[in-house]
Amino acid sequence: MSTSPLIADPVIFALVSVSAACLVLGAFVAIAWRRPALVLLCFFVFFAFTWRLCSVVYIDVFGPIFSEQLERCIGPGISALPMALAQGILITVFLASFRPVRLQALFTDRSSALDSRASGGLVDLSDAALWIAWFYVTALWLELLVQGHIPLFAGMERYDYSRLYGGPLHRLLLDWGPMLTFQLGVFLVAPTFRGHSFDWRFGYLFVGLILYLFLVGHRFSSLYAYSSFLAMPIGVAILSHPALSGRPLISGAVVRCLALAGAVFGALIVGAVIYSYTVVRGFAGAELFTKVSQRLLVQQGEMWWMTYERVFLQDRWNGVHAAYKLLVDPYDPHRNSTMQLLMEAALPQMRAHFILDQGSAYTGGWPEVFFELGGPIGGFALVAISAVIFSEFMFLLTRCLVHERFATCFFLTPVLYALQICIASGMVNSFVQLTFLLKVVVALVVYVAEERWRSDILGVLTSTRPPYQTLMQKESG
């Protein structure tokens, strides 16, 4: 009897998986240590990568492990190796896009960009944005209080509240919440590009949103997504600071405030998770330990294991069928078709559709979707293409923020959300929708219009210098 290649030498397999993961995790640590602003800018993706990679290593090293969601055992193997390579490709491309020489050129170009006289309406713009956001957050809280059902106190799941009691403002937050917090982050850091401190009024609005999410039953995933999008503009502000001002952007008091806010935020997430598992769902003892370990260590990597087994071990993939189910005929075209494809391939179809009908979905999608489309070789090429698109877009967004092109940033936000979700969960069907194409066209039009407006203003400012400048030039001549 021949030995299965999956268990031929578990020690070597474990060493390969751990070594590959350590290289990628070491890269994350090095970036966090040397260039922390990049971590804030890309925290949504980096955190998802780290968690999923650790889960895959756990499955490789300690497998076979029973997966409750898949109802089968997965592991051991070296599934961490191709995932680590895919993540390594994205990290390499991202660092190339944000190489120091290119950033220095960006900041130097900013020094000759629109000066304070050309954008003196920034204060008025911030005030208008503050009043709009303040009105929405206040109305959101009033809607919750009028409904009379607070999930945190009623022991209600968040999706039950959304389905039964959630009002139009609540549904609007679920659809656009991360994009809203990104805009709050933009106006939070906008004064720093002129050497001033953060506009904490927008930080207080963010706290109001987080407390609302906590009360309506949201736990880690939502709080992590919202805070990650708020952190992106902060990362840009810290990244650009050395070229903008000679005095410290972040004082010791600000650092202490941010550290305190991070600690409170972490405690809030931990409390929400514990409350959900122990009170709302009623788990205790060994069952609680099993559920938490499945959530933390298995569910993040189980879908990748299924793709790894199908594509790399069994060579059983069909790119044409995958593209058809992803882009043409998904089970629910209004949701992430990648997870629908992966769940239909991993589960009995009836069970997969039942779970999807409940509004739930498993975790994963990137880089699974690209290997389902391109196989064990072409998948890496698709990963590289996605990495280039993502990294260059993030650099474009950074450029718009540094140059204070706030109108363009506003219209680029939906595109940013789609790209972040693609890299974090593999969602690709949003890119073929007409609404997405319209968003891209509108963003391009606004970018060109704002560029011309700035050029016209600079031309006016250059041709109408104050008299004392003209006199000084004559004297020097």
Side-chain angles (χ1 to χ4, degrees):
M1 179 182 298
S2 60
T3 304
S4 170
L6 288 177
I7 57 175
D9 197 335
V11 175
I12 294 179
F13 285 174
L15 289 175
V16 170
S17 294
V18 172
S19 299
C22 285
L23 287 175
V24 174
L25 296 177
F28 287 147
V29 172
I31 296 172
W33 179 259
R34 298 177 60 87
R35 306 180 71 182
L38 293 185
V39 175
L40 288 177
L41 179 62
C42 210
F43 182 78
F44 186 73
V45 170
F46 282 0
F47 185 88
F49 277 13
T50 301
W51 193 357
R52 293 205 71 205
L53 187 59
C54 291
S55 174
V56 170
V57 171
Y58 175 79
I59 294 171
D60 282 348
V61 174
F62 297 98
I65 296 172
F66 182 76
S67 167
E68 288 187 342
Q69 294 192 146
L70 299 177
E71 296 182 344
R72 58 159 287 184
C73 289
I74 53 178
I78 53 172
S79 64
L81 179 59
M83 172 169 276
L85 288 174
Q87 294 185 0
I89 290 173
L90 188 138
I91 295 171
T92 302
V93 174
F94 184 76
L95 292 177
S97 294
F98 284 84
R99 55 189 181 274
V101 174
R102 196 180 187 195
L103 287 174
Q104 186 60 42
L106 172 64
F107 301 144
T108 302
D109 180 55
R110 186 202 183 276
S111 64
S112 61
L114 198 61
D115 65 16
S116 59
R117 291 174 295 165
S119 57
L122 175 62
V123 175
D124 295 335
L125 180 63
S126 296
D127 290 340
L130 179 70
W131 280 109
I132 294 173
W134 184 263
F135 176 80
Y136 172 74
V137 173
T138 302
L140 187 68
W141 275 90
L142 291 176
E143 182 183 68
L144 171 65
L145 298 177
V146 170
Q147 290 290 347
H149 295 84
I150 299 180
L152 180 67
F153 303 137
M156 184 187 305
E157 288 283 8
R158 65 187 186 280
Y159 45 79
D160 289 332
Y161 174 80
S162 299
R163 178 172 53 88
L164 299 174
Y165 305 107
L169 296 179
H170 176 81
R171 289 190 292 270
L172 189 64
L173 180 65
L174 297 185
D175 291 336
W176 297 90
M179 289 172 272
L180 170 61
T181 55
F182 177 79
Q183 293 301 320
L184 294 180
V186 169
F187 287 103
L188 173 69
V189 305
T192 66
F193 297 123
R194 303 186 177 280
H196 303 296
S197 61
F198 291 104
D199 190 341
W200 292 110
R201 299 175 300 173
F202 293 94
Y204 302 144
L205 282 173
F206 174 75
V207 172
L209 284 177
I210 291 300
L211 291 177
Y212 173 85
L213 290 172
F214 180 72
L215 287 179
V216 297
H218 285 255
R219 301 184 300 275
F220 173 77
S221 57
S222 297
L223 303 183
Y224 143 70
Y226 282 58
S227 60
S228 296
F229 276 80
L230 180 83
M232 291 177 194
I234 298 176
V236 174
I238 298 175
L239 188 69
S240 63
H241 166 62
L244 299 180
S245 174
R247 57 192 181 86
L249 172 67
I250 302 182
S251 63
V254 173
V255 171
R256 288 190 293 271
C257 289
L258 291 176
L260 178 61
V264 173
F265 186 71
L268 191 66
I269 292 178
V270 172
V273 172
I274 294 175
Y275 184 87
S276 174
Y277 276 91
T278 58
V279 178
V280 178
R281 304 183 184 184
F283 298 135
E287 184 182 22
L288 175 62
F289 175 80
T290 300
K291 295 296 182 181
V292 172
S293 62
Q294 285 280 319
R295 180 71 180 89
L296 296 179
L297 300 174
V298 179
Q299 293 176 12
Q300 293 294 320
E302 60 188 7
M303 298 308 293
W304 167 250
W305 170 264
M306 299 300 293
T307 293
Y308 167 76
E309 182 182 61
R310 218 168 23 248
V311 175
F312 290 90
L313 299 183
Q314 301 174 355
D315 195 27
R316 185 168 52 87
W317 59 278
N318 188 331
V320 174
H321 172 74
Y324 180 78
K325 293 298 294 183
L326 286 169
L327 307 176
V328 179
D329 186 32
Y331 176 70
D332 183 353
H334 303 292
R335 298 176 59 193
N336 186 351
S337 62
T338 296
M339 291 316 302
Q340 298 175 48
L341 169 70
L342 297 177
M343 291 173 66
E344 288 175 342
L347 302 171
Q349 190 174 84
M350 184 177 297
R351 181 164 177 259
H353 290 174
F354 174 79
I355 295 172
L356 293 170
D357 288 339
Q358 305 306 306
S360 299
Y362 290 174
T363 302
W366 192 99
E368 291 96 322
V369 61
F370 298 122
F371 290 101
E372 297 287 351
L373 288 168
I377 304 299
F380 286 109
L382 294 176
V383 165
I385 293 172
S386 70
V388 171
I389 295 173
F390 171 76
S391 301
E392 287 302 303
F393 178 85
M394 294 303 295
F395 187 84
L396 170 65
L397 190 68
T398 299
R399 180 175 182 270
C400 291
L401 279 172
V402 170
H403 288 184
E404 302 180 55
R405 290 175 168 85
F406 298 122
T408 303
C409 288
F410 178 81
F411 287 96
L412 283 177
T413 304
V415 184
L416 166 68
Y417 181 75
L419 286 174
Q420 291 279 341
I421 294 299
C422 174
I423 300 299
S425 63
M427 184 174 182
V428 295
N429 56 314
S430 61
F431 300 126
V432 298
Q433 295 177 1
L434 179 60
T435 53
F436 179 80
L437 298 179
L438 290 176
K439 292 171 184 175
V440 173
V441 171
V442 170
L444 289 175
V445 171
V446 172
Y447 179 84
V448 173
E450 193 169 22
E451 185 74 22
R452 290 182 177 178
W453 174 80
R454 293 166 63 87
S455 299
D456 293 342
I457 293 295
L458 281 174
V460 172
L461 292 175
T462 303
S463 61
T464 58
R465 294 173 179 171
Y468 75 89
Q469 289 187 348
T470 304
L471 178 62
M472 290 178 62
Q473 290 177 350
K474 289 182 178 180
E475 291 178 352
S476 62

